[in-house]
Amino acid sequence: MGDLWEDVASVSLVNAIQFAGTFAFAISGIRLAAAKEFDWFGAFVVGFVTAIGGGTIRDLLLDTTPFWMLHPEYMSCTVLALVTVIVFSKQLVRLNTPFFIFDTIGLALFVVAGMEKTLLLGYPFWVAIVMGTITGVAGGIIRDLFINEIPLIFRKEIYALPCVVGGLGYAACYRLHLSGVACEVISVCVILAVRILAVKYQWGLPTLKNR
């Protein structure tokens, strides 16, 4: 009975994290669409694919039904994000880096959600790290292609590496027998810290030169 409650709690936590990540990523996509002067429907589409793109690819690779097809509240979450941007557009614009803030939060939450779901399906940690990274970055790639921008992952700015580092941090915490919540919180904090520091100090990987 105890194991059953633990499984239910784990699934509920994954859904909560995924819902929060959906909202954060949808906000980031809609904000960029607004900067490109998309109409409301276009902004919704950009926000939705940003939010569900990575998780959809992950679920297809894991041979399971994409999460948003089983839970329509994720589409409602994107509608809520659109309404939030419309109503609080002036407040969001006043933030120094609204896109960066919501994109980074969504990135961290989706990496953890992707890892959690992969582990719940019985895959090893190295697969979970790959799937967590895909969950985090693939939606942003689709978003940038939709708004005719070079995807962040292909620029010099570090974007995918924090996902891998956060995934390794999760695995290390698990090996130390920390609780699931502690593993998730530490992983999210690691991703946020690496991403923020990379942008602040302009860290980047060496570019490949065609000599």
Side-chain angles (χ1 to χ4, degrees), residues 52-92:
I52 60 93
T56 300
I57 294 173
R58 174 204 65 211
D59 288 346
L60 292 175
L61 290 173
L62 295 176
D63 196 26
T64 185
T65 305
F67 67 100
W68 59 273
M69 296 177 68
L70 300 174
H71 302 281
E73 59 266 24
Y74 288 107
M75 184 173 289
S76 302
C77 183
T78 305
V79 174
L80 178 61
L82 177 62
V83 172
T84 300
V85 173
I86 293 171
V87 174
F88 299 104
S89 59
K90 293 182 179 179
Q91 289 83 350
L92 289 173

